[in-house]
Amino acid sequence: MSLNVIALGGNAILEKDPSDQAQKETVQKAAKYIADFIESGEQVVICHGNGPQVGNLLLQQKAANGEKNPALKLDSCVAMTEGSIGYWIQNALSNEFLRRNIEMPVVSMITQVRVDEEDPSFKNPTKPIGPFYTKDEAVNETKDGSVFKEDAGRGYRKVVPSPMPQEIVEKKAVQQMVAGGILPVCAGGGGVPVVLKEDRFEGVEAVNDKDFSAKVLAENIDADQLIILTGVDNIYINFNTPKQKALETISVSEAESYISEGHYAAGSMLPKIEAAIAFVKNNPRRKAIITSIENLKRIKEGAGTTVVSG
């Protein structure tokens, strides 16, 4: 039995229809694949993204902002979406386990992730959140001081600071849940970013990258595998060109070489590969797999792209 941290992308949950019901239905489909994986004998901890969801929540906060109903800050919005998406996953898995007679409690927990107050990202926001805009729409949205950047050729999105996660504050609670046969859903949206100031943690205006938080979570609980689920079956080089090639098993050195050759966009596949490299580097026991959720049950057969030490 291996201990696996599964990172489920926020864009995979919100595909086209941003309604509450549509996102729940997408999570219900994902729950079936995760349950299959667990039935194969694997231990699982789940974390998830929230980029589209927290961006949409910020728009709602902005639209309703007023003296009697002031908009909440970004760290609170991250916690709110961590709670809502965590509930969807918890509910979907609990129902799937009930149908299969799997006796495994599922608990979603609001997770704080410690970051460095001096992280350079606070001066250079890069993390895209929320919906896509045309260039003209993005220019109009910058009037409130928001920063927009093009996201992998798909349009413009608001960007916010994304400091590098350092530690899962509740890591011992996660370990205790796993030891007790509980499936934790944690570090949602990368977790709520907090800085340690003397004797207290304080939330900051930022969004942690889900893939890097998943990597830190996997390290903190000594997981065997980090599984990053995305919209494609494999990592590719020369993507969307006649020379496109799916990668299967690659070493750290090969992955780093592909990064240096510029194969991956900063706001898309790059953080997934960097997180995979950081997790397995100098540790032959560990594996990192990047693939689609449909391929989850086929990972043991070699599906997806596996990054190994070397």
Side-chain angles (χ1 to χ4, degrees), residues 256-270:
E256 290 175 335
S257 177
Y258 293 138
I259 290 173
S260 67
E261 292 169 7
H263 285 281
Y264 308 112
S268 181
M269 190 60 74
L270 182 60

Side-chain angles (χ1 to χ4, degrees), residues 55 58-60 62-63 131-149 156-159:
L58 287 169
L59 292 177
Q60 294 170 12
K62 179 180 177 182
F132 289 93
Y133 292 87
T134 65
K135 187 174 183 178
D136 289 342
E137 289 171 336
V139 169
N140 186 59
E141 290 291 324
T142 60
K143 294 177 181 178
D144 65 355
S146 297
V147 178
F148 283 77
K149 292 183 180 180
Y156 288 79
R157 295 175 75 187
K158 181 176 179 176
V159 291

Side-chain angles (χ1 to χ4, degrees), residues 1-4 36-43 225 227 287 289 291 295-304 306:
M1 179 185 292
S2 297
L3 177 56
N4 304 268
D36 286 341
F37 189 64
I38 290 168
E39 280 194 317
S40 74
E42 299 294 326
Q43 283 186 308
Q225 294 189 142
I227 302 173
K287 292 181 181 179
I289 300 102
T291 192
N295 262 344
L296 184 58
K297 63 182 178 181
R298 297 183 55 243
I299 282 177
K300 292 181 180 180
E301 303 168 16
T306 300

